[in-house]
Structures are given as C-alpha cells and as structure tokens.
Amino acid sequence: MIEARGLTKRYGSTVAVDRLEFEVRPGVVTGFLGPNGSGKSTTMRMILGLDEPDAGDVRIGGRRYRELGWPLREVGALLEARAFHPGRSARSHLRALARGNGVPDRRVEEVLGAVGLADVGRRRAGAFSLGMAQRLGVAAALLGDPGVLLFDEPVNGLDPEGIRWIRDLMRGLAAEGRTVFVSSHLISEIALTAEHLVVIGRGRLLADTSVAELSARSTSLEDAFFELTRDSAEYRGDPAVQGGDLGAPRRGGMS
Amino acid sequence: MTTATWESRAPAGHYRFRHVARMEWTKLWSLRSTWWTLAITFAGAVGMAVVVGANTKNASGDLTNNALAGVIPGMLTIGVLGVLVMTGEYSSGAIRSTLAAVPNRRLLLAAKTAVYGGSVLAVGEAGAFLAFLAGGAALPARVPPPSLGQPGVLRAVVLTGVGLCLIGLLGLGIGAIVRHTAAAIAVLVGGVFVVAQFIVMIARPVIGYVPITIVGSSLGAVQPQGDARHHILSPWSGLAVLCLYAAVVLGAGAWLLVRRDA
Ligand SMILES: Nc1ncnc2c1ncn2[C@@H]1O[C@H](COP(=O)(O)OP(=O)(O)OP(=O)(O)O)[C@@H](O)[C@H]1O
Ligand SMILES: [Mg+2]
C-alpha cells in the first residue's frame, strides 16, 4: 500500500507535483498516467526518498521510505533512467545492492535468470542495449523479493516479446498480493496491464479510478484520457505545423 | 478474481553499517578503474624511488624523503579516484540505486569513507614501504641506505601512506560536494596542486598548509624543515591539519548529501 497525502514538489517556479493524494492498493496493477512532464517520475522519486517533498508526504505501509528496515526487501523500483555504473558488470551491480540489504548472493543468480540476463551477467552493463538495461533494472527491482514494486516506463526499449513478458510479470506480481505501481505513456499497454488508474496532469490528480470506469466515460480509454488531460498537457504538438514545406527547395533558389 | 494477501518476507531488524560497507566494498573493487589506478599509483611510487635512488650522488640530504618522492604524483591519482567514487555514481545514475538500497545518506558516506579510506591506506602504506626499500636498494654502493630503525624514518614512511589516504578522502569529500566529475577534479587539482604554485609567489607563509607540501615536506620528511624560515609544519601538526581538511570537506559533503535531491 502506497499513500500520498498532499504531496508537493517544486523546482524553482515549476510546480512538478501539486498536492497529490492517492492510494495504491495491493493485489492489482495500478497504472500511473499523465502527459509528458506531468510529474510521474518526480512522484516515483519522492516515494523512494530520492527527492524530498516540499509539502505533504508519501508512505509505504504507513512508513516513510527512509524508515524501512531493509528497503530493497520491501520496495523494488525500476526508474526512468539507467541507474547503474557502466563500468560494472550486471552481476556486480546486483551483488552490491544485495549485500547492502543482506540479500544472499544466490538471489542475484535467480533474478539474472528471471530477466534473461544470465548469459551476459559478466559483461559491462555500459555495453547493454536499452532493452537489456531495462531488464537489469527489473532484476534490481525483484532482487529483494519486495511486496511493493514501482516501474517507471518499464516497456521503454523492450521488443514486443519483452513487452509481453513484463506485462505478465507485473500481473503475476499483483496476483501474489503485491502492490504494483506502473507509469506509462502507452495507454493501450496500460489498458492490457492495469486494473486501476491514477491519472495526473501538471502535477495534480485528475482521476483515481478503475480502468473499466474510465473507459466507460468515452468511446475508448484513450479518448477518455485525452478528455481528462486536455487542459493540462503542457507539451502538445501543434497539428498546424504538420505538412510544412521544409526541405523542398523551390526552383529559383532562396526567396 | 481472488488475490492472495502479501506477507512481507523481509526479516526483522535493519540494515547496518556492515551491510553498507560490504556494498561499497563490492562496488569499489568491481570497477576495473580502481585496480588500474591503484596499480599505477603503486608502480609510480616504487619506480620513482628506484630512479631517484640510483641517481643519488652522496649521502647528504634526506634520503628517505627522496625515496618517497614518487608518492606525490600518486596523490593525484588517489585523489581523483576518491572523487570518482562519489561523482561516478551521479554521472551514471547509479546513485539512485544506491540510495534506494541505503536511504540513510550519512551512513552511506561513512561506509564509503571507511571502505575507500581503508583500501587506500593499505595501498598507500604498501607503496610507501616498498618505495622506501626499493629506493634504498637502488642507492649506489658508496651511499649507505637509511634504515627504519633510525630516528624519524619509520614515522616518515608510515605518515606518507597516511597522507595519501587523507588526500583520497579529500577527493571523496570534494566529489560529494561538487558531484560533477570534471568540476570536482578541477577543484581537487586546483586546491591540492595548483594553489601551491601561486602561494609560493604571493603568500609564502601559508605554503606549509597546502596539502601537497604537508604530504611531501611534513609527513614524509625525517628532518622536517620545521622552522619559521621555511614555513613547513612539523609532521604531527601537518597530520593534524590534513585530517582537519579531510574532516571539514567530508562533513560538508555529508551535510549537502542529506539535504540535496539525488
Ligand atoms: N531535477 C529537476 N529539476 C528541475 N525540474 C525538474 C526536475 N525533475 C523534474 N522537473 C520538472 O518537473 C516536471 C515533472 O517532470 P517529471 O519528469 O516528473 O514528469 P513525467 O510525468 O515523468 O514526464 P515524462 O512522461 O516525460 O517522463 C517537469 O516540468 C520537469 O521539467
Ligand atoms: Mg517520467
């Protein structure tokens, strides 16, 4: 169970997260949706205690992240960006984390196998493709066999098989009674994975509802999402710019 | 759909310093750059001692200090490696994994300090002793080599290794404050090496307080020119000042580490 209460984060004059309130319940996959720059990654970092909220707080099973006894055995996270040193092997990276939380070394081999990196565990992680790096992040999240899992854009860089694999993984974890919180841009992907949704725009809560309920509000989940976030999308392309005539040099040279 | 209820599998208790130290130990020694840097430092110290020893003409001067001269360039490599222990985490994003495993940031920096400091102390002492022995062995036959039994010699050798360790910790602390590799290395090199050159020109009396002078002329000297005329600190004052630098920089690093977003 993750609970955010009045969660607020500012970066200078930008309010990245604005008095956010939500609960992520165990047993189902909860999707975390919002346009670019709406504060999803910032919220994830605050859950992990990496960024300090300016107001409010977020708790995991009633405790702040820094109060957890063995953090990796209670919360596992795949973050947006690569979170390992490129010069270290995948195995060494995981071993270091495991030892920091009293997880036995053999668990490292288990998770390397589980994410399909057993054969490349000795290789420098810096040479990994985006998809392999993502798998290493998943391995780190699973390392402590935690009851709460956070995934920030997990399908980033994964091939179709990898996408299906991570979808089944997340659903399986939730079915075991764990709390699974996953952010994504891909609404169709979230529709297949999540049962519950937290939707934000410009750092504010727009909806905290089930996928079925939100889909029923419009012709599709995607349309419902666009209606919900219409006023809060900050970085939206201007359709008028399409079809502009760049690069088609006219006869007669520059004019 | 019926779902199971999750029972936490985490044992009772809390991660401790020893867990964090094991983590940091694994991290430090699983990077090839650590092995390279320390090997180069070690080889440089011993190699220079041999060259200096072989070119010694007579027994005048501080032969022990001469044999330890190769440790001075090692200050740069060990200091830079100290910077990288911290900044490498930020440039790669690994800091987020690290802090997710160990949210207690003070404990994290303490473990890094112990693991890196201990490792560099071992390498520094081994390098200083081997440089001393190799430098003595390389002296021409007519020049009697210094022995560890002579007054001040053992102290000079031991404190040189300690000095190298403190420079490494200075680098670690600067890395925690500055966080960007290039900028942190610039601060380290500027503060430890370059400032010394300017100080010689403009403010001679503070030359004794510059880290490079402390390691080279206070800690590593058998007969330090501990007089007001040369502005060189005595070995023990030099050690105290260097410890103070490392403590202040690490303290500031810890203060910022706790307060800043990762
Ligand atoms: N470290 C930071 N310093 C300054 N501004 C930041 C920082 N991190 C995030 N922001 C700003 O906060 C806002 C929210 O960013 P965040 O990365 O949380 O969004 P997001 O929902 O994860 O976006 P995306 O879908 O593109 O990943 C953005 O306006 C971003 O520019
Ligand atoms: Mg994001």
Side-chain angles (χ1 to χ4, degrees):
Chain A
M1 172 87 106
I2 306 169
E3 291 164 280
R5 293 282 167 258
L7 195 61
T8 302
K9 181 72 187 178
R10 294 182 207 96
Y11 294 108
S13 59
T14 327
V15 184
V17 174
D18 194 0
R19 289 163 289 169
L20 205 51
E21 308 255 342
F22 62 80
E23 279 181 13
V24 184
R25 278 174 292 276
V28 292
V29 175
T30 300
F32 193 21
L33 284 178
N36 288 134
S38 55
K40 302 181 296 294
S41 298
T42 304
T43 303
M44 295 268 193
R45 288 199 303 275
M46 286 193 285
I47 297 173
L48 291 170
L50 298 171
D51 285 18
E52 186 65 19
D54 289 305
D57 69 2
V58 57
R59 287 165 186 267
I60 299 141
R63 284 176 302 164
R64 292 200 181 87
Y65 192 85
R66 64 168 177 273
E67 295 163 357
L68 301 175
W70 305 96
L72 298 185
R73 295 167 159 225
E74 295 172 66
V75 181
L78 167 72
L79 290 170
E80 191 172 36
R82 292 185 181 215
F84 51 79
H85 194 294
R88 214 168 266 132
S89 71
R91 181 173 282 116
S92 299
H93 170 67
L94 295 173
R95 274 200 184 160
L97 294 176
R99 289 169 183 175
N101 273 225
V103 173
D105 281 358
R106 81 184 123 72
R107 176 70 184 158
V108 169
E109 305 309 316
E110 282 174 27
V111 294
L112 277 173
V115 302
L117 292 180
D119 294 339
V120 292
R122 290 174 61 91
R123 277 185 25 201
R124 285 176 66 252
F128 280 8
S129 70
L130 184 54
M132 288 160 82
Q134 208 70 345
R135 286 168 186 269
L136 178 54
V138 174
L142 298 175
L143 192 60
D145 197 15
V148 175
L149 288 123
L150 311 176
F151 297 94
D152 198 358
E153 316 277 356
V155 300
N156 232 353
L158 290 180
D159 54 22
E161 200 194 323
I163 293 178
R164 171 168 288 187
W165 164 71
I166 200 142
R167 183 193 305 150
D168 293 343
L169 175 76
M170 290 190 290
R171 294 183 68 99
L173 292 166
E176 290 172 326
R178 302 187 217 228
T179 305
V180 181
F181 194 39
V182 50
S183 84
S184 181
H185 292 122
L186 304 176
I187 296 166
S188 51
E189 181 51 42
I190 280 289
L192 290 170
T193 315
E195 270 180 56
H196 200 86
L197 283 180
V198 173
V199 184
I200 62 171
R202 293 182 187 250
R204 298 217 184 128
L205 186 71
L206 299 178
D208 183 349
T209 182
S210 71
V211 172
E213 195 276 327
L214 191 62
S215 309
R217 288 191 199 174
S218 190
T219 44
S220 69
L221 182 64
E222 193 174 49
D223 289 335
F225 173 78
F226 285 135
E227 281 164 29
L228 203 56
T229 59
R230 187 165 37 217
D231 301 327
S232 52
E234 229 168 315
Y235 309 105
R236 180 161 287 166
D238 179 356
V241 179
Q242 277 177 21
D245 56 349
L246 297 170
R250 262 173 251 150
R251 274 169 167 268
M254 311 281 284
S255 56
Chain B
M1 193 171 87
T2 56
T3 41
T5 352
W6 181 259
E7 293 295 332
S8 173
R9 295 174 188 176
H14 201 283
Y15 67 91
R16 301 277 171 199
F17 178 81
R18 66 173 187 280
H19 300 104
V20 190
R22 283 192 75 203
M23 173 173 94
E24 288 304 320
W25 178 269
T26 308
K27 274 158 57 177
L28 179 65
W29 293 103
S30 60
L31 284 178
R32 246 181 254 167
S33 51
T34 303
W35 294 90
W36 277 114
T37 308
L38 295 182
I40 288 169
T41 306
F42 190 83
V46 177
M48 196 128 134
V50 170
V51 173
V52 171
N55 287 300
T56 302
K57 300 282 181 291
N58 53 56
S60 71
D62 190 337
L63 295 180
T64 302
N65 191 243
N66 293 350
L68 295 171
V71 170
I72 298 297
M75 287 169 59
L76 183 63
T77 51
I78 291 224
V80 168
L81 189 61
V83 164
L84 288 172
V85 166
M86 208 64 226
T87 61
E89 297 234 15
Y90 285 96
S91 57
S92 64
I95 189 70
R96 302 224 167 104
S97 300
T98 299
L99 291 178
V102 179
N104 184 338
R105 299 180 184 193
R106 268 191 214 95
L107 193 67
L108 176 72
L109 191 60
K112 276 189 189 291
T113 302
V115 166
Y116 186 62
S119 301
V120 190
L121 183 63
V123 171
E125 292 300 349
F129 272 94
L130 224 75
F132 171 78
L133 295 176
L139 287 170
R142 66 194 129 77
V143 183
S147 92
L148 289 172
Q150 287 160 354
V153 172
L154 182 62
R155 184 199 64 219
V157 176
V158 170
L159 287 193
T160 295
V162 175
L164 211 53
C165 161
L166 289 170
I167 297 292
L169 294 183
L170 209 54
L172 180 68
I174 291 171
I177 294 171
V178 180
R179 298 198 285 188
H180 289 98
T181 304
I185 290 176
V187 171
L188 173 80
V189 174
V192 173
F193 296 89
V194 181
V195 168
Q197 307 303 317
F198 285 100
I199 282 179
V200 180
M201 293 189 287
I202 56 166
R204 181 97 198 147
V206 286
I207 184 78
Y209 292 88
V210 174
I212 193 169
T213 316
I214 294 178
V215 177
S217 304
S218 299
L219 302 185
V222 174
Q223 307 115 5
Q225 302 94 335
D227 58 66
R229 197 158 39 87
H230 290 93
H231 310 295
I232 300 298
L233 298 173
S234 76
W236 300 112
S237 317
L239 183 66
V241 170
L242 206 54
C243 283
L244 186 71
Y245 290 164
V248 166
V249 170
L250 283 168
W255 192 83
L256 289 168
L257 190 60
V258 169
R259 273 157 194 82
R260 288 193 296 211
D261 289 338

